[in-house]
Amino acid sequence: MKITDIEVVIVRQDNVKMIGDGSQDTAVVLVHTDEGITGIGEVDSSPEVVKAIVEAPASHDQCRGLKEILIGEDPTNIEYLWYKMYYYSYYYTRRSVGIHAMSGIDIALWDITGKKYGLPVSKLLGGNFRTKIPAYCSVLMPGTKEEIDELVAHHRADCNYHGYKFGWGALGESEEKDVKLVEYCREAVGDSRLMIDIGMRWTDYKYALRVSREYEKQKIYWLEEPFAPDRTEDFGRLADNIEISLASGEEFGTMYEFRDMLDNGKVDIVQPDMSRCGGITMAKKIADMAQLRGKKLIPHAFKTGILMGATLQLIAAIPNADMLEYCAQETVLSKNLVRHHFRLDKDGNVTIPDIPGIGVELNEEILERYRRK
Ligand code: MG
């Protein structure tokens, strides 16, 4: 089997708001082969930049476009192709958006290989630890107690989530408000697991320490991204001084960045996003690195059903995942870009598909309706 073409299809809802919601648009990656199998992936990044990286003509030996590197290759040689992309685009893809673009292609290569051999990706990764996973509800932080109560009541009405994560939104405006909002969240969710995602908005270490100590009283299950991802030293000293588990990693690419955050940032939970970290290939290595250190991997996934499909396959096949981030934003793409969108069962679990590849089928009508030329 050979790769014949790679398409990046940009889809975007009609009105994109400037809020921390990556499910408003996406870059769908389609890898085509001479056997008629098409692999599906997606990238959570700047879609137009991703498209340019995939389609760029070769400049010189270390600056080649990803599509040009892969045409004619056997798509089932996934890890070889990961390193081939990395090497021949080395001047511009060692981190960030180059790795994001590689991630979407990598997911599609796993999808092709699963479809070719009739196996779900979890089996290609070594087999299943689990066939379903408890989901937690991931939402943006509202600004008032009434809005928090309303949001929790709304999501509780149709799903029995295993926990709630409130992130970004109204957090980070003031010390008093950060404390108060989380008190309201605890009141609203009762005994459920409560996670707080600061969205990198704290800049002062002492501020972070004071607010975190207030959060300890609310029994926060984890505190996510109190600081910007490059502030590894501040993560490390906060980890030394509070009881709450720290979580981070959704902006990181490659195992090298995760090694630094695990060893120097001392986080307890790493959160690679499979559409940014280097794909399923890299996420599996990161899971192993976390396992070696006795840490958990709970992937970041705030996009469409494509990323959720890839995420579920990884979660199935690693020992150290115990929850799924369930993007509860109700955008047209998060709910409808794939057919048979993943739903929670009555116990708040999502079943991991036992069908070839990453287990998703594109909704072509939605793809065409929201496609941007
Ligand atoms: Mg986050």
Side-chain angles (χ1 to χ4, degrees), residues 165 168 197 199 224-225 250-251 271 300 325:
K165 183 170 86 184
W168 303 64
D197 180 358
E224 180 169 330
E225 297 214 300
E250 67 186 71
E251 288 85 16
Q271 302 170 299
H300 177 263
E325 175 164 30

